Amino acid sequence: MRVSTIDLGSNTVRFLVADVEGPGRWRVVEQHQTVTRLGEGLAATGALGEAPMARTLDVVCGYAARGARLGAAEVRIVATSAVREAANGSRFAASVERATGRRVHVVSGDDEARLTLRGVRHGLGPLAGLVAVFDIGGGSTEYILAEDDRVRATASLRLGVVPLAERYPFPERVDRPRYRELLREVAEQLARELPGELRRARPAHLVGTAGTVTTLAALDLGLRAYDARRVQGHRLSRAAIERLGARLGGLTVGERAALPCLEPGRADLIVPGVAIVVATLDCLGVDALTVSDSGLREGILAAAADAAP
């Protein structure tokens, strides 16, 4: 059965079409993603803006139609933190349903974390011992602690790159004292809100997924064009992350946007993203992470595969 999934995130809409061959098994037909920044201004107003909703709706409608043209028997749309937290989130979800004719599943933070873990496990395969996964999003960051198939702790923090970039804009080269203030704020939030079991875990593996860490991996690898196969499983050391952070901080937002593999719309978000990565390493007491190109989008597909006849 051919299935299409649309991950409607706070910053990025991710699209995937695959032929499901059985539980946990599929063949990718097509995938794409577009930065629409749905959560723009949400932290300040508590509501989704008209312009972000319009451009996101346009992209989701395009992806839904594309999935149908490719013969998908099911088009599954999953919305995350921006839609579940906004005062007008349910209204936006209803408008997406009217425009696409497809149901929108608004997932909780815990469900988002569990789906992300499924996607990561599918991409990286078995990981022995304690595994901590984090997914940096536009409006939230999900953390999961797991051992084998057992989830030991999850947390969905209102810690997203979009509101951080709005409060800490760096249109020119990064001001180091201001960046240290950003890093301190993120570190304090992790210390205050991350469950003790996660903070004390000292995992055997720390896995990062989504745009910030995959972009850092592509830059570390020196890729001229994004290659998911090379990014998948890449190891990023603390030293490499700090080196990349210094390189990015030495550029204006326009110069960052010109870098290969830094997709449009991410140039002002990558600096706060680096701060979340560094603060996570410090909080969990590890000095490297493994990058997963697979995440929530693949987890949604895994759930759809389980439900397939």
Side-chain angles (χ1 to χ4, degrees):
M1 184 177 77
R2 181 162 289 184
V3 174
S4 171
T5 67
I6 300 172
D7 167 11
L8 205 175
S10 304
N11 186 58
T12 307
V13 181
R14 296 179 172 88
F15 169 72
L16 180 64
V17 177
D19 288 329
V20 172
E21 299 168 345
R25 295 186 294 111
W26 59 77
R27 181 179 59 82
V28 174
V29 174
E30 186 169 318
Q31 55 188 327
H32 198 262
Q33 63 184 43
T34 305
V35 173
T36 65
R37 206 169 293 203
L38 175 62
E40 182 179 75
L42 173 60
T45 66
L48 301 173
E50 293 300 325
M53 286 193 292
R55 60 181 179 252
T56 302
L57 179 61
D58 184 60
V59 169
V60 174
C61 286
Y63 281 156
R66 200 156 146 189
R69 284 197 303 273
L70 288 168
E74 179 179 358
V75 177
R76 183 169 292 205
I77 305 173
V78 170
T80 58
S81 65
V83 176
R84 69 174 174 255
E85 292 172 8
N88 57 347
S90 59
R91 178 167 67 84
F92 177 65
S95 70
V96 173
E97 291 182 344
R98 286 194 300 272
T100 64
R102 309 287 180 171
R103 182 185 170 195
V104 175
H105 304 263
V106 182
V107 295
S108 68
D110 283 347
D111 285 343
E112 183 178 350
R114 292 173 190 276
L115 287 169
T116 298
L117 177 63
R118 289 199 67 178
V120 166
R121 284 195 177 282
H122 178 269
L124 293 179
L127 295 169
L130 273 179
V131 178
V133 177
F134 70 111
D135 176 351
I136 301 172
S140 66
T141 297
E142 274 59 53
Y143 289 88
I144 313 105
L145 182 66
E147 189 169 17
D148 299 323
D149 292 327
R150 184 166 71 93
V151 175
R152 292 181 43 166
T154 66
S156 179
L157 307 188
R158 290 189 177 184
L159 178 64
V161 290
V162 172
L164 284 176
E166 289 170 352
R167 293 206 311 281
Y168 294 91
F170 295 105
E172 302 302 324
R173 290 170 177 80
V174 170
D175 176 73
R176 299 310 297 178
R178 184 71 170 149
Y179 175 79
R180 286 193 292 271
E181 184 180 341
L182 162 63
L183 183 59
R184 182 169 58 251
E185 178 182 319
V186 174
E188 288 174 352
Q189 183 173 353
L190 291 181
R192 186 173 62 249
E193 298 180 8
L194 206 59
E197 188 172 7
L198 263 160
R199 285 187 282 107
R200 296 188 297 268
R202 300 301 181 265
H205 307 276
L206 175 63
V207 179
T209 186
T212 292
V213 293
T214 56
T215 298
L216 290 175
L219 292 173
D220 191 45
L221 288 162
L223 301 181
R224 301 300 301 173
Y226 189 83
D227 186 341
R229 292 170 299 179
R230 294 189 63 190
V231 166
Q232 184 78 301
H234 181 66
R235 184 179 183 275
L236 277 173
S237 67
R238 170 66 180 261
I241 293 164
E242 290 184 340
R243 174 177 52 79
L244 290 166
R247 175 188 173 194
L248 291 163
L251 303 174
T252 67
V253 71
E255 290 166 339
R256 281 176 241 143
L259 291 173
C261 300
L262 211 159
E263 64 186 321
R266 198 174 292 281
D268 63 329
L269 305 179
I270 192 69
V271 173
V274 170
I276 296 175
V277 173
V278 171
T280 298
L281 291 173
D282 288 344
C283 185
L284 300 185
V286 296
D287 61 2
L289 64 90
T290 300
V291 178
S292 175
D293 179 74
S294 301
L296 178 60
R297 180 176 59 180
E298 287 74 18
I300 297 166
L301 182 58
D306 288 350

